[in-house]
Amino acid sequence: MQGACLQAPRAVLARMGGMTTTLALFDDPPRQEREPLGPGAFVLPGFALPFVDELLPAIRAVEARAPFRHLVTPGGFTMSVALTNCGALGWTSDRRGYRYSPFDPDSGLPWPAMPEPLALLAREAAAKAGFDGFAPDACLVNRYAPGARLSLHQDKDEHDYGAPIVSVSLGMPAVFLFGGLARGDKTVRVPLVHGDVVVWGGEDRLRYHGVLPLKEAPHPLLGAQRINLTFRKAG
Ligand code: SIN
Ligand code: FE2
């Protein structure tokens, strides 16, 4: 936990409670355990920090079997974010369209299984946001280098909109944009740091969201990158 404290002092200290003298060292007020973005959408600051030591080797093992790649959209654009997947289903894109598939198109092999520490974090974060019994079958692993961005989109390729999306931020900070149910709705800017989790489901499940171009601010554990995990019930 010591290492984690160095990377996200506000989030960690806020969870320790009672440490008012230490908290007073920081300018920002302590973040709440659950910050609402909507009736079914929450930021859980620092929720993933206790899991990080197990997440990072698990992600490296996934990456060794299914390397990150820059997908091409149906419109012919190459995405700035690099992607891989784990779980029974993985999300891919090419000139023919977007889809979930049990197979990695690069290797022809099934995607690596979802490592248990990832599945556990997803379940616990969903429960914390009020979605009990979340059983994701897909985890998209997105890697952002400085300058990479994700334009506003809805996560709507999944069959089951009854299940939430659970999104875990690791490494460099990012600004997450959270909009409404129509593309043109106003967006709020949500700063996310290493260990933060965002969950959106229920009536917020189809809200538009994206990520602003990443600033270069190397992270002590992950260097000049941000890794985002999004857990979904896709099938
Ligand atoms: C996504 O929308 O799939 C990823 C969001 C993020 O990187 O925070
Ligand atoms: Fe998304």
Side-chain angles (χ1 to χ4, degrees):
M1 206 57 188
Q2 191 56 38
C5 287
L6 291 172
Q7 287 120 40
R10 283 178 299 121
V12 172
L13 292 173
R15 283 146 50 90
M16 290 178 173
M19 297 183 66
T20 40
T21 52
T22 311
L23 282 172
L25 291 172
F26 298 92
D27 292 329
D28 299 335
R31 295 170 75 187
Q32 301 302 309
E33 267 193 52
R34 220 175 83 145
E35 297 170 353
L37 294 173
F42 299 90
V43 183
L44 310 177
F47 190 88
L49 288 175
F51 297 81
V52 166
D53 288 351
E54 289 185 275
L55 297 180
L56 297 183
I59 294 168
R60 282 194 291 271
V62 167
E63 182 188 346
R65 287 204 28 223
F68 285 104
R69 75 286 311 261
H70 292 272
L71 295 175
V72 174
T73 65
F77 294 100
T78 300
M79 294 179 71
S80 60
V81 173
L83 172 100
T84 185
N85 291 278
C86 60
L89 293 171
W91 188 86
T92 62
S93 170
D94 59 24
R95 290 305 297 256
R96 288 170 296 158
Y98 308 120
R99 77 195 72 82
Y100 279 99
S101 163
F103 301 105
D104 176 347
D106 284 4
S107 65
L109 298 171
W111 296 105
M114 196 180 301
E116 189 46 38
L118 274 67
L120 177 68
L121 166 59
R123 241 180 353 257
E124 293 198 357
K128 179 87 186 170
F131 301 98
D132 285 331
F134 181 48
D137 55 11
C139 173
L140 281 66
V141 186
N142 281 129
R143 187 180 67 193
Y144 296 72
R149 62 189 287 269
L150 196 61
S151 52
L152 274 187
H153 65 279
Q154 291 170 295
D155 292 351
K156 59 176 186 190
D157 299 331
E158 298 75 27
H159 282 127
D160 183 1
Y161 294 158
I165 303 285
V166 173
S167 168
V168 177
S169 291
L170 299 170
M172 294 206 297
V175 178
F176 181 64
L177 295 178
F178 200 60
L181 295 175
R183 183 180 290 280
D185 289 351
K186 109 176 157 28
T187 57
V188 291
R189 292 176 173 223
V190 184
L192 295 178
V193 300
H194 180 71
D196 288 349
V197 179
V198 187
V199 181
W200 62 96
E203 64 190 87
D204 293 320
R205 173 63 179 73
L206 289 175
R207 284 176 67 174
Y208 276 87
H209 58 278
V211 177
L212 290 182
L214 229 71
K215 293 216 173 82
E216 176 137 22
H219 183 269
L221 274 184
L222 283 152
Q225 60 175 343
R226 170 176 186 258
I227 303 277
N228 174 264
L229 309 172
T230 53
F231 297 91
R232 297 115 188 266
K233 176 85 180 75

